[in-house]
Amino acid sequence: MANSLLLLSLSLSFLFLFHGCVAQVELQQQRYWKSLQQHQQHRLRAKTECQVQQLTARQPSYRLQSEAGVTEFWDANNEEFQCAGIEFVRHTIQPRGLLLPYYSNAPQLVYIVQGQSCSGIQGTVFPGCGETYESEPGFGFTGEEEGRQRTDRHQKLRRFRRGDVLALREGVTHWAYNDGDTPIISVALRDVANEANQLDLKFRRFFLAGNPQTAQFQGQQEREQGPRGEGWRGQEEGQGKSNMFSGFNEEFLAESFNIDPQLVRKLQSREDNRGFIVRAERPLRLVLPEYGREEQERQWQQGRGGGYVNGLEETICSLKIRQNIEHVSTTHSYNPRGGRISTINSQTLPILGQLRLSAEKGVLYRNGITAPHWSTNSHSALYVTRGNARIQVVGHQGRSVLNEEVNEGQLVVVPQNFALAIRAGDQGFEYVTFRTNDNAMKSELAGRLSAIRAMPDEVVMNSFGVSREDARNLKYNRDEATVFSPGGRSGGYA
């Protein structure tokens, strides 16, 4: 009798536990799909109209010159940027250059185009997280200063290098420093149509230091009013604005920080004329981990953003925000004669599940070809990092909207469902593509993974009015996937 009661008790306990686990999984799935629907609805704000008739490979339209670097902007009033709900920027930070601390209203995905090995340092200050790094008293000081300095405590710093992708959240303070001997060049997609941005569809940076309005503008002189009503988009980045402290009353700041008024005036930086990339007086001495020894938790905090969970929580304070897209582990398509393609998404860098962004790096060898394809669930911004290629894009109703030779430093924005094909030039071709979905998917038009190959012969025959032999040639003559080697019967395309 006792054994029966014990067995019944265990069975009921197991039943309750099982139902609790199922309910938890269902709750997580509901949160994920609800978040996804909100993200899609929010992005609809970006495109009251998305009737793109023509694309072009674009260069930056204007630039802001600071003391120790340059910031270049693509004109976000162009119709493909408005359709995609994005902005795009390129930073060049000189040695000992410090990009001043700021936060923004929209998430960013950054790719490091150029920089010495591990010469960059990036700081992200997560609200409410502890200062987990501590220097010895006097660290970074010399002479008389050393004896009277306190221990310096701060949040974790991260080194970065060429090929790294950095995921920067909205509303979180960021800064960057170049402690190498050569300039660092980075490009960034700013997802202004992201659900996290509850302001208007313009990227806004809120600086905590410096006097950004003193950066020198260089570029187009006309200010044309665009569909978003902002017009000249560089204005918001540096022209006509100061740091956040400059708007507060001096007495209020002195009381808040418990400092004297002279230091308050330094904090407000009204006389600072260095722009928002400044040169450090001497090399910064910072406490930070070696590159590659960061925390490797693979799951972001349970319940934040509604993503899938695997039982391992990653708290916001230990989020991994950096991954190198040129590492062999990120390669998902490789052709020894054509090239390779690597991806980073929320499966490999979980924070991207919160940002709803992902990235792809393509390396095409001489005359290598990508399979003609379209992105099923995201817009794409393709930035050329090396070489040249012929790019063709076909839009709605089968109209060609782009057929151009593209070169290093140019940007092509491709709206969702527009079909894209690339053929590398004689020197090869390298690019990085940012996508507005954390698990972006592509559907190919030719090759082993193509939509044509997945159809029955009879459907292909009747759709195109061809014989069975021709239908099978369409399906099976190209057995490669994603990246094609040059040559073949077709001899390429013009």
Side-chain angles (χ1 to χ4, degrees):
M1 184 68 176
N3 289 338
S4 299
L5 290 174
L6 178 61
L7 182 61
L8 178 62
S9 176
L10 289 174
S11 300
L12 290 173
S13 298
F14 177 78
L15 183 62
F16 290 141
L17 180 62
F18 175 77
H19 281 290
C21 292
V22 170
Q24 181 68 18
V25 171
E26 290 178 348
L27 178 61
Q28 292 296 331
Q29 290 177 339
Q30 290 172 3
R31 287 176 176 174
Y32 174 79
W33 291 115
K34 181 178 179 181
S35 177
L36 182 60
Q37 290 172 354
Q38 290 173 345
H39 174 70
Q40 293 170 339
Q41 292 170 359
H42 193 88
R43 187 162 292 283
L44 287 174
R45 288 196 310 156
K47 46 182 183 291
T48 54
E49 283 193 25
C50 201
Q51 304 296 327
V52 177
Q53 302 298 321
Q54 193 69 36
L55 298 176
T56 188
R58 299 188 185 276
Q59 296 279 6
S61 299
Y62 42 85
R63 49 191 274 158
L64 291 175
Q65 177 72 53
S66 296
E67 178 188 45
V70 176
T71 304
E72 300 169 282
F73 306 90
W74 276 257
D75 186 358
N77 284 323
N78 291 313
E79 59 181 357
E80 65 267 33
F81 286 86
Q82 296 180 45
C83 174
I86 62 170
E87 297 186 14
F88 207 83
V89 66
R90 180 167 64 205
H91 285 299
T92 301
I93 304 178
Q94 299 296 332
R96 288 191 9 233
L98 173 66
L99 175 61
L100 293 176
Y102 72 93
Y103 59 94
S104 66
N105 63 322
Q108 303 176 79
L109 201 57
V110 181
Y111 174 75
I112 307 302
V113 178
Q114 174 185 307
Q116 287 180 329
S117 179
C118 305
S119 64
I121 299 174
Q122 195 271 339
T124 295
V125 182
F126 289 106
C129 296
E131 299 145 352
T132 55
Y133 282 75
E134 181 176 317
S135 66
E136 296 294 330
F139 179 82
F141 294 89
T142 58
E144 296 181 359
E145 293 178 320
E146 185 172 358
R148 54 177 192 268
Q149 294 303 319
R150 301 176 182 175
T151 298
D152 181 24
R153 297 187 181 93
H154 55 77
Q155 289 190 16
K156 177 181 177 179
L157 309 180
R158 298 164 174 84
R159 283 200 174 273
F160 60 81
R161 65 181 183 185
R162 184 176 66 86
D164 277 351
V165 172
L166 304 174
L168 306 184
R169 288 190 54 175
E170 74 291 338
V172 174
T173 303
H174 307 286
W175 56 267
Y177 175 68
N178 182 359
D179 69 343
D181 299 323
T182 60
I184 289 174
I185 299 177
S186 67
V187 291
L189 177 140
R190 299 163 161 186
D191 189 14
V192 294
N194 193 283
E195 63 177 333
N197 174 23
Q198 298 187 29
L199 301 180
D200 52 16
L201 294 173
K202 295 187 294 290
F203 186 84
R204 301 177 183 275
R205 286 201 288 189
F206 301 80
F207 282 93
L208 300 187
N211 193 7
Q213 65 183 343
T214 60
Q216 298 178 7
F217 174 81
Q218 300 169 355
Q220 300 171 346
Q221 295 303 311
E222 290 188 18
R223 302 186 183 187
E224 299 179 354
Q225 288 299 317
R228 295 189 197 174
E230 176 65 14
W232 195 37
R233 300 305 298 277
Q235 188 175 19
E236 61 175 330
E237 282 295 336
Q239 302 294 309
K241 71 176 187 179
S242 301
N243 74 52
M244 299 300 290
F245 294 112
S246 65
F248 286 101
N249 179 275
E250 288 187 13
E251 291 76 11
F252 182 83
L253 289 177
E255 184 176 1
S256 296
F257 281 91
N258 193 23
I259 56 177
D260 60 65
Q262 184 177 357
L263 185 53
V264 169
R265 288 189 284 273
K266 284 283 189 179
L267 188 69
Q268 295 178 322
S269 305
R270 289 171 180 162
E271 304 301 321
D272 194 324
N273 60 1
R274 298 174 296 169
F276 52 82
I277 305 177
V278 305
R279 180 171 288 108
E281 295 182 2
R282 57 189 177 192
L284 303 187
R285 297 182 62 188
L286 303 170
V287 178
L288 67 166
E290 293 294 328
Y291 184 92
R293 293 188 180 180
E294 300 178 9
E295 292 87 355
Q296 298 298 314
E297 292 92 343
R298 294 298 182 184
Q299 184 61 48
W300 40 291
Q301 186 177 14
Q302 182 176 359
R304 290 185 179 269
Y308 293 114
V309 295
N310 61 6
L312 297 176
E313 294 185 2
E314 182 176 20
T315 68
I316 190 172
C317 298
S318 60
L319 277 174
K320 182 182 177 185
I321 66 169
R322 176 196 57 78
Q323 185 169 347
N324 193 279
I325 200 170
E326 297 183 359
H327 192 275
V328 64
S329 63
T330 64
T331 301
H332 77 84
S333 298
Y334 174 68
N335 184 324
R337 296 185 59 223
R340 66 182 185 273
I341 291 179
S342 305
T343 59
I344 290 178
N345 55 32
S346 59
Q347 303 301 315
T348 56
L349 189 61
I351 190 176
L352 295 179
Q354 299 179 31
L355 273 60
R356 303 294 188 196
L357 297 172
S358 59
E360 170 184 295
K361 178 65 189 294
V363 178
L364 298 182
Y365 305 149
R366 178 179 179 180
N367 298 325
I369 305 170
T370 64
H373 64 273
W374 73 90
S375 179
T376 66
N377 59 355
S378 71
H379 302 295
S380 305
L382 184 153
Y383 177 81
V384 183
T385 59
R386 190 187 70 82
N388 66 296
R390 168 72 60 175
I391 291 185
Q392 294 188 11
V393 180
V394 177
H396 183 54
Q397 297 179 337
R399 296 180 64 253
S400 174
V401 296
L402 177 67
N403 185 3
E404 287 186 20
E405 190 88 7
V406 299
N407 298 282
E408 181 177 337
Q410 290 185 307
L411 177 73
V412 177
V413 177
V414 182
Q416 177 184 3
N417 295 327
F418 282 42
L420 167 71
I422 305 172
R423 183 176 185 175
D426 291 338
Q427 304 303 315
F429 182 66
E430 297 185 19
Y431 65 91
V432 60
T433 297
F434 301 90
R435 302 190 189 278
T436 59
N437 192 298
D438 59 297
N439 279 302
M441 298 178 63
K442 298 188 296 184
S443 185
E444 299 179 5
L445 286 165
R448 181 163 47 85
L449 300 178
S450 73
I452 299 296
R453 184 161 177 163
M455 298 177 189
D457 289 351
E458 297 283 340
V459 173
V460 176
M461 291 165 58
N462 286 276
S463 295
F464 298 106
V466 298
S467 66
R468 186 176 300 275
E469 180 182 0
D470 287 339
R472 292 188 173 179
N473 287 338
L474 283 172
K475 292 177 63 173
Y476 302 114
N477 271 13
R478 176 69 79 171
D479 199 42
E480 300 162 317
T482 308
V483 180
F484 298 163
S485 54
R489 295 185 186 182
S490 64
Y493 55 91

